[in-house]
Amino acid sequence: MNFKLAGVTLRMGDRTLLDTFSLDLPKGTTIGLIGHNGSGKSTLLKILANQVRPSAGRVLFQGKPLHDWGARRLARKIAYLPQHIPATSGLLVRELVALGRYPWHGALGRFGAIDRDKVADAVALTDIGSLTDRLVDTLSGGERQRVWLAMLVAQDAECLLLDEPTSALDISHQIDVLSLVQKLSKDRGLSVVLVLHDVNMAARFCDEIIALHSGKIVVRGAPEGIMTPKQLQFIYGLPMEVMIHPTTGHAIAVAS
């Protein structure tokens, strides 16, 4: 297992964001987190990324308590892309991608041949070679997401945690970005956990789906087990129909 959570609870003031949460996440799979706003998806991802410490319970990563790893060692294992991406004013694309190598050489370390090779590999894998000399702030939303993914690839981590990587993107760029994530997972054996709002995208690009509600897991399973009218109504609280796309064969959910 990559992650093992046992009895994890997170409270902020009088609010319980995660409630006695237990979960095992295997290696080498792409797992989509879905559910209503406020269901705990982003909170769970922040806990997995060691950005937030739970109020109670245990979080293990590869058999070791998450908080015992140390920031640099953990960053060599886990790459996290938050929902609200930091400002990149004045940064060139190649400079941002190169920042992914920071966990390996530190602020004062030398950027060596291995680092250059990892950056070049990340640029090639994400197909952003034509963008490397452009300012990040001048890119379209889809281009910018590919550049951030390139930075995570350069980080050479084993696990990617992505919080709504397709938010504010049009349908074409959503498919483009999620296809890239799926390719990275399959080709490199990466473990991916990502928050998605669109259950159809989760079903198309994820190996497994976990649905949350009020800080608890309500449904977990393979896409074909989730994409049924009964399960979707249970998750979202409204009638939904499921049809099969005539070309791709993917299940598609629509509100009744």
Side-chain angles (χ1 to χ4, degrees), residues 87-110:
T88 54
S89 180
L91 268 182
L92 295 172
V93 166
R94 54 182 166 80
E95 293 172 332
L96 177 61
V97 177
L99 287 178
R101 298 303 301 161
Y102 176 82
W104 297 91
H105 59 69
L108 301 178
R110 183 179 177 184

Side-chain angles (χ1 to χ4, degrees), residues 118 121-122 125-126 148-157 184 188:
K118 293 291 184 181
D121 186 35
L125 279 170
T126 54
W148 279 98
L149 285 172
M151 188 197 75
L152 301 190
V153 172
Q155 192 171 325
D156 205 23
L184 292 172
R188 297 217 154 189

Side-chain angles (χ1 to χ4, degrees), residues 133-149:
D133 289 322
R134 289 181 57 184
L135 290 168
V136 177
D137 289 349
T138 67
L139 303 178
S140 69
E143 290 171 336
R144 195 176 297 120
Q145 287 297 80
R146 292 182 75 89
V147 168
W148 279 98
L149 285 172

Side-chain angles (χ1 to χ4, degrees), residues 227 242-252:
M227 295 294 280
V242 177
M243 60 188 69
I244 302 300
H245 192 285
T247 303
T248 66
H250 294 114
I252 301 172

Side-chain angles (χ1 to χ4, degrees), residues 54-101:
S55 309
R58 300 185 72 208
V59 182
L60 302 180
F61 176 67
Q62 296 183 356
K64 180 177 178 178
L66 190 62
H67 57 77
D68 286 350
W69 275 85
R72 273 187 69 185
R73 287 189 62 217
L74 191 63
R76 294 179 177 184
K77 294 283 188 176
I78 298 173
Y80 170 59
L81 186 65
Q83 181 179 348
H84 301 292
I85 296 173
T88 54
S89 180
L91 268 182
L92 295 172
V93 166
R94 54 182 166 80
E95 293 172 332
L96 177 61
V97 177
L99 287 178
R101 298 303 301 161

Side-chain angles (χ1 to χ4, degrees), residues 18-76:
L18 289 181
D19 189 4
T20 320
F21 203 95
S22 295
L23 176 69
D24 290 342
L25 296 177
K27 293 182 179 180
T29 58
T30 298
I31 298 173
L33 304 179
I34 65 170
H36 292 288
N37 288 340
S39 61
K41 305 183 298 296
S42 293
T43 299
L44 172 58
L45 208 68
K46 288 176 183 176
I47 286 176
L48 297 179
N50 207 31
Q51 301 293 307
V52 175
R53 293 281 290 272
S55 309
R58 300 185 72 208
V59 182
L60 302 180
F61 176 67
Q62 296 183 356
K64 180 177 178 178
L66 190 62
H67 57 77
D68 286 350
W69 275 85
R72 273 187 69 185
R73 287 189 62 217
L74 191 63
R76 294 179 177 184

Side-chain angles (χ1 to χ4, degrees), residues 187-205:
D187 291 356
R188 297 217 154 189
L190 299 180
S191 306
V192 181
V193 183
L194 68 164
V195 173
L196 292 170
H197 275 297
D198 189 333
V199 67
N200 292 317
M201 291 296 183
R204 179 170 175 177
F205 291 103

